[in-house]
Amino acid sequence: MSESIDNQTPPSGGRGAHVCLTPALLPLFSVEEYIVVVIDVFRATSSICYGIENGAEAIIPVSQVEECAAYREKGLDYLLAAERDGKVVDGFDFGNSPFSYTAEKVAGKTVVLTTTNGTHALHLSRAAKKIVIGSFLNLTALSDWLKTQNDNVLLVCAGWKNNFNLEDTLFAGAVTDQLKTDGYVLDDAALAANDLYQLGKHDINDYLKKTSHGERLKKLGIQKDIDFCLQVDIATAIPVLDGERLVKLQQ
Amino acid sequence: MSESIDNQTPPSGGRGAHVCLTPALLPLFSVEEYIVVVIDVFRATSSICYGIENGAEAIIPVSQVEECAAYREKGLDYLLAAERDGKVVDGFDFGNSPFSYTAEKVAGKTVVLTTTNGTHALHLSRAAKKIVIGSFLNLTALSDWLKTQNDNVLLVCAGWKNNFNLEDTLFAGAVTDQLKTDGYVLDDAALAANDLYQLGKHDINDYLKKTSHGERLKKLGIQKDIDFCLQVDIATAIPVLDGERLVKLQQ
């Protein structure tokens, strides 16, 4: 249709809670007008939240195993996390399983994490007022902090190779669910994400079982990781981007 | 994450019913492996279905009012449909309201229709095996025909300026609902669209009232058009793209 009204900018009155369903849609949003929440629940942003919660000094997300390896060559004392096809790549410290991000392993350390979809979403969001990291692990802490900010929120689903996925959308709907009671104006994608969350919230694991991606992850033998990533509110730390490093947000 | 599995191609065994939530995501799909259904329920594809049902010889979708005007200069006996901000543009025969596509007005005629989002989706789908047009008006006829084809189906939501909208997604979910009983494999977007349709199907008009786009269309004074576009199965014609013209599919 040709009606010339734009729906991709925040509302002029009040705060908007908008959902960008995949990084491919980010160019449609004026990201500089938002606090961006990057979401990649299986497993990058869950591992990041858990690692920062457990005292990691910083987590540096990179998109390629080669970039990750380059940090070792710099001679710095970083932990390097990279996996392919569900297995830790030879010569790296660990993979993307959240179980690798315990206090014993990461406290006081800087971790370089290889995450294609998550890094892509982060890079495209560079111009945002602030970029924070969300997962079911820190759902309420994140939502509560967002509500204290007088800003529009853009929930960016990392998705799968630029396409839509259900698990990230469901989490966007979970955040929307907490924000909507606080007067945020929702866009269509936020309304849809929230409705999907209503359908799935009583048993998110069961709801996601029907997805193709869930099927694939199961085949990779990481069902334990998935169960872990779907735990709600076991963390209160909010990772925030500072330069190229994700660190704990100081409130 | 870095697991190297692709989810944007149809399944190798059986047929896939996939949903492309906005034209911006079309480059992610191998459109040549699908029958594409273009969806722009408010109001372009509803008007097209109604016009073809009512005996229009052809409907030619164009994206700009100027392109539409150019058809008059060609001296051909076309009906020209163009509107801006909900009003028929001066010098044109009518706008995008489905009420303009009655048998009295369009039977035996060729109509040139200005539709930005719909034309954009059509152009990006050019390489498809076949491109057909869907709306609630021809929901069951379209779904029944798709089921007779031994092909993957890609439901392309025209959306709003390349972003997601709820009304087109809901219709994609309605088609998915008919196809899923016939053994099609659904992708995550089709699963989501279908779940949203389950939530909205008992009163689609009421369900869509909360959307921002619905609000805007209401302000444009086209609530009557919206009501019309949400009528289910009042048509059996399926418009199909033949060159640059949409004509009635001969079964």
Side-chain angles (χ1 to χ4, degrees):
Chain A
M1 297 198 312
S2 56
E3 287 84 358
S4 55
I5 302 170
D6 205 326
N7 71 344
Q8 280 123 35
T9 49
S12 47
R15 297 173 294 183
H18 296 177
V19 173
C20 178
L21 291 169
T22 96
L25 302 180
L26 262 171
L28 303 175
F29 293 88
S30 307
V31 286
E32 65 277 10
E33 296 180 27
Y34 295 92
I35 293 174
V36 161
V37 180
V38 172
I39 302 164
D40 186 3
V41 296
F42 294 157
R43 300 165 288 165
T45 62
S46 300
S47 293
I48 292 166
C49 289
Y50 194 52
I52 295 294
E53 177 80 8
N54 286 329
E57 190 180 301
I59 296 179
I60 302 174
V62 298
S63 55
Q64 303 289 335
V65 172
E66 294 69 24
E67 283 175 77
C68 188
Y71 277 87
R72 184 170 328 271
E73 285 157 26
K74 286 180 186 170
L76 298 166
D77 187 27
Y78 290 149
L79 288 174
L80 305 186
E83 66 176 51
R84 270 195 178 134
D85 299 327
K87 294 201 179 71
V88 176
V89 180
D90 277 353
F92 286 77
D93 302 301
F94 44 82
N96 293 347
S97 167
F99 292 104
S100 299
Y101 292 77
T102 56
E104 293 70 33
K105 291 180 181 160
V106 302
K109 307 269 190 174
T110 293
V111 184
V112 185
L113 168 71
T114 314
T115 162
T116 314
N117 297 314
T119 303
H120 184 54
L122 275 168
H123 282 173
L124 290 174
S125 304
R126 284 264 167 218
K129 289 183 175 179
K130 202 165 272 188
I131 301 178
V132 294
I133 301 297
S135 70
F136 285 105
L137 276 55
N138 70 345
L139 167 62
T140 299
L142 171 69
S143 303
D144 286 348
W145 174 77
L146 288 170
K147 286 191 264 186
T148 67
Q149 305 299 300
N150 190 26
D151 258 317
N152 303 296
V153 174
L154 183 61
L155 301 154
V156 177
C157 302
W160 185 253
K161 296 188 178 182
N162 266 329
N163 202 357
F164 174 89
N165 80 21
L166 208 42
E167 61 269 21
D168 293 340
T169 305
L170 216 68
F171 176 73
V175 177
T176 305
D177 202 48
Q178 299 212 14
L179 298 187
K180 73 180 184 189
T181 57
D182 213 44
Y184 287 81
V185 178
L186 311 186
D187 68 356
D188 274 21
L191 290 165
N194 190 240
D195 276 348
L196 293 169
Y197 175 67
Q198 302 305 329
L199 286 175
K201 68 181 177 185
H202 301 296
D203 189 344
I204 296 170
N205 206 329
D206 186 63
Y207 181 75
L208 292 175
K209 277 200 179 112
K210 62 185 173 182
T211 72
S212 51
H213 196 43
E215 279 299 312
R216 287 189 191 91
L217 293 179
K218 220 179 296 171
K219 281 182 200 150
L220 292 172
I222 56 174
Q223 184 60 45
K224 261 179 66 189
D225 286 5
I226 293 179
D227 294 344
F228 186 90
C229 294
L230 294 179
Q231 296 176 99
V232 177
D233 290 339
I234 64 161
T236 57
I238 303 168
V240 62
L241 192 66
D242 178 15
E244 63 173 0
R245 296 150 39 95
L246 293 162
V247 298
K248 186 174 176 180
L249 178 74
Q250 303 300 328
Q251 298 188 56
Chain B
M1 299 201 312
S2 57
E3 287 84 359
S4 55
I5 302 169
D6 205 325
N7 71 344
Q8 280 122 36
T9 48
S12 48
R15 297 173 294 183
H18 296 177
V19 173
C20 178
L21 291 168
T22 96
L25 301 180
L26 261 170
L28 303 175
F29 294 88
S30 306
V31 286
E32 65 277 10
E33 295 180 27
Y34 295 92
I35 294 174
V36 162
V37 179
V38 172
I39 301 165
D40 185 2
V41 296
F42 294 156
R43 300 165 285 166
T45 62
S46 300
S47 293
I48 291 167
C49 289
Y50 195 52
I52 295 294
E53 177 79 9
N54 286 328
E57 190 180 301
I59 296 179
I60 301 174
V62 297
S63 55
Q64 303 289 335
V65 171
E66 294 69 24
E67 284 174 77
C68 186
Y71 277 87
R72 182 166 334 268
E73 284 157 27
K74 287 180 186 169
L76 298 166
D77 187 25
Y78 291 148
L79 288 173
L80 305 186
E83 66 177 50
R84 270 194 180 136
D85 300 326
K87 292 199 179 72
V88 176
V89 180
D90 277 354
F92 287 76
D93 301 303
F94 45 83
N96 292 346
S97 168
F99 292 104
S100 298
Y101 292 78
T102 56
E104 293 71 33
K105 289 180 183 160
V106 303
K109 306 269 191 174
T110 293
V111 183
V112 185
L113 168 70
T114 315
T115 162
T116 314
N117 297 314
T119 303
H120 185 54
L122 275 168
H123 281 174
L124 290 174
S125 305
R126 283 263 167 218
K129 289 184 175 177
K130 203 165 271 188
I131 301 178
V132 294
I133 300 297
S135 70
F136 285 104
L137 278 54
N138 69 345
L139 168 62
T140 299
L142 171 69
S143 303
D144 286 347
W145 174 76
L146 289 170
K147 286 191 264 186
T148 67
Q149 306 298 301
N150 190 27
D151 259 316
N152 303 296
V153 174
L154 183 61
L155 301 155
V156 177
C157 301
W160 184 253
K161 296 186 179 183
N162 266 330
N163 202 356
F164 174 89
N165 79 23
L166 207 42
E167 61 270 23
D168 293 341
T169 304
L170 216 67
F171 177 73
V175 177
T176 304
D177 203 48
Q178 299 212 12
L179 298 187
K180 73 180 184 188
T181 58
D182 212 43
Y184 287 80
V185 179
L186 311 186
D187 68 357
D188 274 21
L191 289 166
N194 190 240
D195 276 349
L196 293 169
Y197 175 66
Q198 302 305 329
L199 286 176
K201 69 181 178 183
H202 301 296
D203 189 343
I204 296 170
N205 207 330
D206 186 62
Y207 181 75
L208 292 175
K209 275 197 180 117
K210 60 185 175 181
T211 72
S212 51
H213 196 46
E215 278 299 312
R216 286 188 191 91
L217 293 178
K218 218 180 294 170
K219 281 183 198 148
L220 292 172
I222 55 174
Q223 184 59 46
K224 261 179 66 189
D225 287 4
I226 292 179
D227 294 342
F228 187 90
C229 294
L230 294 179
Q231 295 176 99
V232 177
D233 290 338
I234 64 162
T236 58
I238 303 169
V240 61
L241 193 65
D242 178 15
E244 64 173 1
R245 298 149 37 96
L246 293 163
V247 298
K248 187 174 176 178
L249 177 74
Q250 302 301 328
Q251 298 188 54

